[in-house]
Amino acid sequence: MRNDTLFGKIIRREIPATIVYEDEEVLGFKDIAPQAPVHVLFIPKNELIPTLDDLQPAQAHLIGKLALAAAGYARREGFAQNGYRIVMNCREDAGQTVFHIHLHLLAGAPLGQFGAA
Ligand code: 5GP
């Protein structure tokens, strides 16, 4: 299935993004509207999975790949010791706006607690 989401277009370089990480399966790029000093999105490149709720058991390794890519980036950029947060929003109540799964990596300052307002 062709990935016609915004992030599919970023994967195909049809729209620009500041790419900070890439391997065979994962792409990492800066969020256009950062919610922290560091805000990077990590996405699977080869499979279109709209939400975490759509993830199939055979695709489970992809979530680990996204997490490892985020952790590696944090170490290389020097903020792993201070800490960071990873977030994956699923559907409306979580505020998901792009329906191709993505891991948010937030860091660079103490992050507030979160939950229902
Ligand atoms: P969601 O709310 O679906 O979990 O996260 C989608 C994220 O994509 C948001 O944080 C939003 O700022 C980011 N975003 C939306 N449009 C673009 C874009 O064109 N380029 C980049 N780099 N990020 C985007």
Side-chain angles (χ1 to χ4, degrees):
M1 193 194 333
R2 184 179 159 87
N3 184 345
D4 279 324
T5 70
L6 181 64
F7 292 169
K9 293 176 182 152
I10 288 176
I11 292 166
R12 293 191 297 273
R13 302 334 195 239
E14 290 167 10
I15 62 172
T18 304
I19 292 170
V20 297
Y21 177 83
E22 182 160 26
D23 64 28
E24 297 228 323
E25 293 184 288
V26 176
L27 189 70
F29 52 94
K30 292 189 177 178
D31 196 291
I32 205 167
Q35 303 298 308
V38 177
H39 189 171
V40 176
L41 303 171
F42 292 89
I43 64 174
K45 281 166 52 175
N46 304 320
E47 301 195 43
L48 174 54
I49 304 165
T51 79
L52 186 60
D53 192 42
D54 300 300
L55 186 76
Q56 301 302 307
Q59 299 168 316
H61 68 286
L62 288 172
I63 303 300
K65 298 267 168 119
L66 299 181
L68 283 173
Y73 179 79
R75 274 196 303 276
R76 283 192 303 281
E77 293 295 311
F79 54 82
Q81 285 298 322
N82 279 353
Y84 53 86
R85 177 175 294 155
I86 62 172
V87 173
M88 187 174 279
N89 294 321
C90 180
R91 300 196 176 124
E92 285 76 7
D93 276 3
Q96 184 178 4
T97 57
V98 180
F99 288 84
H100 175 64
I101 57 167
H102 46 281
L103 200 72
H104 294 257
L105 170 65
L106 300 154
L111 302 166
Q113 294 303 313
F114 60 90

